[in-house]
Amino acid sequence: MFWNLCRESFAGNVCSRGSNLLVRDGGIPGAVIHLARGDFVALTVEGTEIEAGAGVRLKQLAASARSTGISGFEWMEGIPGSVGGSLRMNAGAMGMETFQRVVRVQVVNLRGEFETLRPEEMQIHYRNVPTLRDRFAVSALFRGKPGAIEKIDKELAESIQKRKSTQPVAASAGCIFKNPQECPAGKLVEELGLKNHSVGSARVSEIHGNFIVNDGNARSSEILKLIAEIQMSAKKERGIDLQTEVQIVGVDDE
């Protein structure tokens, strides 16, 4: 029954923790299931390998790696997402991406069958893993490398400091746009003079041009209008088609 509910209500629209998600004002017309128990949040370490369920938070994964002397996960510490979401989007930061550490992924297909996939068997792109469009990640095995805790702590601290100094603390859905080949999206928005540009209570952060912050009571429609204005400006002024990294789901408010 649980799987039938997932399949009927969520096919192609799994939300993970929602950290890089924008839900339209009409909400999601279906079940929203929080994977917070059982195998979904299981985490085990063996040698330099970590197996984690889809509901495990990236912060927790980074902490477990640190406590067992495994390096290569320091960049995950400040990402407010989970393993499932990072797999679906090939999340990344600080020059690293999720699938650089993945050994294999356990998934469930739309027939309710379990499969185990290795990265070489999957379509993996920048901020998009099409293979997981019609399969749901259940868990993944990651591999790091041995590291001294002092060095890991230093890299964790550097990652945290970089985030604090370059990203807003205000409410947001994370990075709005994928980085185009021409230049980083945040730099492009800044060069277009759109920092602090707003629509209603939705505003481009003055700290980082690739973040839209909520100044209080912003509606999704305001954020979507601001996104469209930025895309229009990028196309008109620079000939660049900005694509959204944030996932947009749900229905418009009637």
Side-chain angles (χ1 to χ4, degrees):
M1 179 177 177
F2 170 79
W3 176 247
N4 287 336
L5 178 63
C6 289
R7 180 171 56 188
E8 294 298 326
S9 300
F10 254 57
N13 194 22
V14 173
C15 299
S16 194
R17 287 195 71 222
S19 60
N20 204 207
L21 196 73
L22 177 62
V23 180
R24 295 179 185 273
D25 292 321
I28 296 174
V32 176
I33 301 168
H34 188 200
L35 305 181
R37 295 183 180 180
D39 290 344
F40 290 120
V41 291
L43 189 152
T44 58
V45 180
E46 185 173 343
T48 57
E49 294 184 340
I50 303 174
E51 186 154 15
V56 171
R57 299 186 180 194
L58 297 183
K59 186 180 183 72
Q60 181 186 353
L61 181 56
S64 293
R66 180 263 177 202
S67 66
T68 51
I70 304 173
S71 66
F73 299 92
E74 294 84 357
W75 62 274
M76 290 184 175
E77 197 281 336
I79 300 178
S82 64
V83 166
S86 71
L87 293 168
R88 174 63 182 89
M89 292 189 65
N90 191 21
M94 314 301 172
M96 291 290 295
E97 291 183 330
T98 299
F99 272 87
Q100 290 178 262
R101 292 292 171 216
V102 171
V103 177
R104 63 174 182 262
V105 183
Q106 186 180 42
V107 303
V108 176
N109 62 32
L110 292 178
R111 296 184 299 277
E113 302 165 339
F114 284 88
E115 301 177 70
T116 299
L117 303 175
R118 295 187 176 275
E120 57 267 27
E121 301 173 304
M122 305 171 69
Q123 287 181 283
I124 301 167
H125 304 312
Y126 169 69
R127 302 297 181 267
N128 182 30
V129 181
T131 301
L132 298 181
R133 191 174 295 148
D134 55 2
R135 296 174 176 87
F136 306 118
V138 175
S139 65
L141 181 68
F142 299 88
R143 181 180 293 143
K145 52 190 178 182
I149 289 183
E150 295 78 9
K151 186 173 184 297
I152 294 172
D153 283 344
K154 181 176 181 293
E155 293 182 2
L156 282 169
E158 289 173 352
S159 176
I160 292 169
Q161 180 55 38
K162 184 174 181 180
R163 288 181 184 280
K164 285 183 176 179
S165 63
T166 62
Q167 296 182 7
V169 295
S172 76
C175 289
I176 294 294
F177 301 106
K178 296 179 181 178
N179 287 323
Q181 291 184 345
E182 292 83 354
C183 70
K187 185 173 185 291
L188 173 61
V189 173
E190 181 174 3
E191 290 175 352
L192 292 170
L194 294 176
K195 276 190 171 181
N196 261 331
H197 180 59
S198 63
V199 172
S201 294
R203 177 175 58 83
V204 178
S205 169
E206 75 281 5
I207 297 172
H208 195 306
N210 202 18
F211 283 75
I212 291 178
V213 298
N214 185 342
D215 281 338
N217 298 299
R219 296 175 60 83
S220 291
S221 56
E222 293 173 339
I223 298 171
L224 289 169
K225 184 178 179 182
L226 184 51
I227 288 172
E229 290 183 0
I230 296 169
Q231 289 173 319
M232 188 183 307
S233 179
K235 182 65 173 178
K236 179 180 178 182
E237 301 297 330
R238 299 285 291 274
I240 295 175
D241 291 309
L242 272 179
Q243 298 180 357
T244 53
E245 177 175 320
V246 66
Q247 302 295 295
I248 302 166
V249 299
V251 296
D252 290 324
D253 189 2
E254 296 180 1

